[in-house]
């Protein structure tokens, strides 16, 4: 199951566009602009869809044309953007769409579809158990929304690819909800944490102490286990700046979510392979790292190694290391195949271009050596990529669409890397092309 976080902020986002507090200034300066909380699951299912969600999907390289189900948690304006239904109508969409939610949300949507639109409204209350295609949806009570009738709900979403808990907006979970999720062993939990250090807000949202208490209760009941990715969403400027917030949340085994982040969960025994392509400074490495941000232990395979006497390269390496979590293990060198075959933790290979350069060096290709050894190494890498027992992400340069290299060796490298990229892509579950910092998910052949 793939969850793209379209937004991780509160109703006013973080930073608030009209605010100059220290938290908002830091977020703006750091480029951490969070929109209203929503998520896209497997490109098929929307969890909440506020006014900002459709455009956010486009900014992150996704289309909503394949969406078959929209689940609303409640009727507040930042979670129900009815204009999305009109946009869909204007596209002449003919596929059926399920719109699911409590009455406060459904009533707002009914007038935004035409009589002949293939839209089915499903009104739910806590305790309902709904089947939507491949997804089982258990509807749970939230502690939120007295002004809209108190009918806000939370969702326990399960498919063959994993099980997640979508818990926004809510204060400390009602006793019946805690009982319903006991022993759930969620793969990921998206729990709202709106108010940070401000505790005088009432009981319809979490602050940091309440968030910690809720997570502790979920751990005690078996809803959250050591492998659960606990992600704080619906964040506002009442929180401290993100580095401090990250430290506080880590005490609960949680972390702040980020807009555009992709959270991958998988059933036991499954693995995924992702290839991230892009030109120079396209954001490919940062995107690849974000794909594994939810993992506590990652092996970072730095195929470029170190280059003595090259201060510019040393600075590049330093910047890459500085943005990676301290818990990640870095291995320098080009023996990627062995690392892939024996991986016990998720692995990030960055990048195939420097790996190929090292293999060409090893076999003396630049001095007229035969290419047989390089092709053999590529075959070995492909076999290891297919057999990797853990999740794997590889980064590579897209060099075939630029200036034709002036030298024969440059053209040879370009051609070999193009072949390598195509072969790795054919054995990957997902291929992403980064263009100007924006990811474009490439369709399978």
């Amino acid at each position: 199951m793939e969850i793209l976080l379209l937004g991780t902020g509160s109703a006013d986002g973080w930073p608030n566009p009209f605010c100059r507090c220290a938290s908002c200034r830091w977020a703006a300066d750091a480029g951490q602009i969070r929109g209203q909380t929503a998520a896209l699951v497997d490109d098929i299912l929307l969890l909440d869809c506020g006014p900002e969600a459709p455009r956010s999907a486009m900014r992150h390289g996704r289309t909503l044309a394949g969406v078959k189900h929209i689940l609303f948690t409640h009727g507040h304006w930042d979670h129900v953007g009815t204009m999305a239904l009109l946009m869909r109508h204007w596209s002449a969409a003919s596929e059926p769409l399920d719109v699911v939610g409590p009455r406060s949300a459904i009533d707002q949507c009914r007038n935004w579809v035409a009589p002949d639109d293939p839209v089915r409204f499903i009104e739910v209350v806590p305790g309902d158990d709904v089947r939507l295609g491949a997804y089982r949806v258990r509807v749970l009570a939230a502690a939120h929304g007295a002004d809209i009738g108190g009918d806000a709900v939370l969702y326990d979403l399960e498919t063959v690819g994993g099980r997640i808990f979508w818990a926004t907006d809510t204060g400390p979970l009602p006793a019946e909800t805690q009982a319903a999720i006991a022993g759930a062993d969620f793969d990921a939990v998206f729990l709202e944490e709106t108010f940070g250090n401000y505790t005088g807000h009432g009981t319809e949202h979490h602050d940091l102490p309440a968030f910690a208490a809720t997570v502790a209760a979920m751990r005690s009941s078996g809803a959250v286990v050591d492998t659960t990715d606990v992600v704080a969403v619906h964040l506002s400027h009442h929180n401290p700046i993100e580095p401090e917030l990250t430290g506080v949340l880590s005490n609960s085994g949680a972390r702040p979510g980020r807009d555009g982040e992709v959270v991958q969960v998988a059933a036991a025994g499954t693995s995924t392979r992702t290839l991230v392509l892009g030109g120079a400074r396209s954001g490919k490495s940062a995107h690849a790292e974000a794909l594994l941000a939810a993992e506590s232990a990652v092996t970072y395979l730095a195929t470029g190694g170190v280059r003595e006497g090259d201060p510019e390269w040393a600075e590049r390496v330093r910047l890459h290391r500085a943005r990676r979590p301290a818990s990640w293990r870095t291995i320098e060198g080009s023996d990627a195949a062995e690392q892939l075959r024996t991986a016990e933790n998720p692995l990030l290979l960055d990048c195939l271009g420097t790996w190929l350069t090292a293999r060409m060096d090893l076999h003396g290709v630049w001095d007229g050596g035969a290419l047989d050894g390089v092709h053999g190494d590529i075959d070995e890498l492909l076999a290891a990529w297919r057999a990797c027992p853990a999740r794997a992400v590889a980064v590579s340069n897209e060099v075939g669409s630029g200036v034709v290299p002036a030298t024969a060796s440059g053209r040879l490298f370009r051609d070999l890397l193009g072949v390598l990229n195509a072969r790795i892509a054919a054995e990957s579950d997902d291929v992403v092309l980064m263009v100007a910092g924006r990811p474009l998910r490439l369709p399978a052949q």
Side-chain angles (χ1 to χ4, degrees):
M1 191 190 302
E2 178 200 77
I3 304 97
L4 169 64
L5 293 177
L6 300 177
T8 55
S10 58
D12 55 343
W14 183 21
N16 179 311
F18 296 91
C19 183
R20 295 180 179 175
C21 73
S23 179
C24 285
R25 289 200 309 272
W26 183 91
D29 290 345
Q32 288 301 321
I33 312 300
R34 288 174 163 88
Q36 296 155 356
T37 293
L40 177 63
V41 179
D42 298 332
D43 290 332
I44 292 175
L45 186 149
L46 277 168
L47 289 166
D48 284 318
C49 183
E52 298 175 345
R55 201 60 55 195
S56 176
M58 301 301 295
R59 280 195 296 269
H60 293 109
R62 301 299 178 93
T63 173
L64 298 183
V67 169
K68 298 179 180 179
H69 321 288
I70 302 177
L71 276 62
F72 293 114
T73 53
H74 61 295
H76 282 166
W77 65 274
D78 55 315
H79 294 262
V80 181
T82 53
M83 188 63 190
L85 296 171
L86 189 56
M87 294 177 189
R88 188 176 188 274
H89 170 78
W90 286 338
S91 75
S94 59
E95 294 297 316
L97 174 69
D98 296 320
V99 178
V100 182
R103 179 175 296 178
S104 63
I106 296 298
D107 282 351
Q108 295 180 57
C109 297
R110 294 188 187 277
N111 291 332
W112 288 82
V113 299
D116 57 346
D117 281 344
V119 176
R120 177 176 64 149
F121 293 106
I122 304 175
E123 194 173 305
V124 295
V125 296
D128 286 348
D129 195 328
V130 181
R131 174 66 67 173
L132 300 173
Y135 302 92
R136 180 182 181 183
V137 182
R138 299 174 182 89
V139 184
L140 305 171
H144 185 70
D147 59 318
I148 55 170
D151 65 349
V153 298
L154 312 175
Y155 293 112
D156 173 352
L157 182 68
E158 185 176 15
T159 186
V160 292
R163 186 176 182 183
I164 67 171
F165 185 36
W166 185 252
T168 181
D169 296 3
T170 183
L173 301 180
E176 62 268 29
T177 298
Q178 284 283 15
I181 61 175
D185 190 3
F186 288 115
D187 295 293
V189 168
F190 302 90
L191 180 63
E192 78 113 86
E193 192 284 290
T194 306
F195 280 106
N197 293 321
Y198 173 58
T199 58
H201 54 83
T203 59
E204 294 191 354
H205 287 285
H206 283 94
D207 47 49
L208 281 168
F211 181 94
T214 292
V215 174
M218 294 175 70
R219 288 190 187 280
S220 180
S221 74
V224 168
V225 296
D226 289 344
T227 57
T228 304
D229 186 16
V230 181
V231 184
V233 293
H234 209 266
L235 301 165
S236 82
H237 67 162
H238 290 287
N239 281 283
I241 64 174
E242 187 175 305
E244 296 177 14
L245 175 62
T246 300
V248 175
L249 290 174
S250 68
N251 294 329
S252 297
R255 62 183 183 83
R258 286 189 172 186
D259 289 27
E261 176 185 345
V262 175
V263 178
Q264 293 272 7
V265 302
T270 64
S271 63
T272 57
R273 291 170 296 277
T274 302
L275 173 63
V276 181
L277 298 166
R281 299 297 186 182
S282 62
K284 57 186 181 294
S285 291
H287 180 76
E289 291 164 12
L291 292 177
L292 295 173
E295 305 289 350
S296 58
V298 172
T299 298
Y300 186 95
L301 188 57
T303 58
V306 294
R307 302 180 186 178
E308 299 296 336
D310 189 338
E312 189 272 339
W313 180 260
E315 177 62 11
R316 285 175 179 252
V317 172
R318 185 192 69 79
L319 292 173
H320 271 246
R321 286 175 175 169
R323 74 185 183 211
R324 297 197 296 267
S327 61
W328 288 20
R329 181 172 68 107
T330 300
I331 297 178
E332 306 279 357
S334 62
D335 190 11
E338 179 63 19
Q339 294 297 329
L340 284 165
R341 282 192 298 268
T342 60
E344 296 181 357
N345 297 315
L347 186 145
L348 173 53
L349 190 162
D350 193 354
C351 70
L352 291 175
T354 51
W355 176 86
L356 180 61
T357 299
R359 307 321 289 179
M360 295 174 76
D361 287 344
L362 178 67
H363 295 288
V365 171
W366 314 113
D367 300 320
L371 290 174
D372 291 350
V374 176
H375 286 298
D377 289 345
I378 291 175
D379 290 341
E380 183 183 8
L381 184 71
L382 263 292
W385 181 251
R386 284 192 297 268
C388 183
R391 189 173 175 212
V393 178
V395 176
S396 191
N397 301 290
E398 182 50 63
V399 296
S401 56
V403 176
V404 175
T407 64
S409 59
R411 292 190 292 273
L412 174 62
F413 172 78
R414 177 201 61 182
D415 292 346
L416 281 176
L417 185 58
V419 170
L420 175 58
N421 287 346
R423 293 188 65 187
I424 289 285
E427 300 292 342
S428 298
D429 303 300
D430 290 294
V431 180
V432 176
L433 176 65
M434 297 297 297
V435 180
R438 298 187 176 184
L440 301 175
R441 191 179 187 186
L442 303 184
Q445 290 183 340

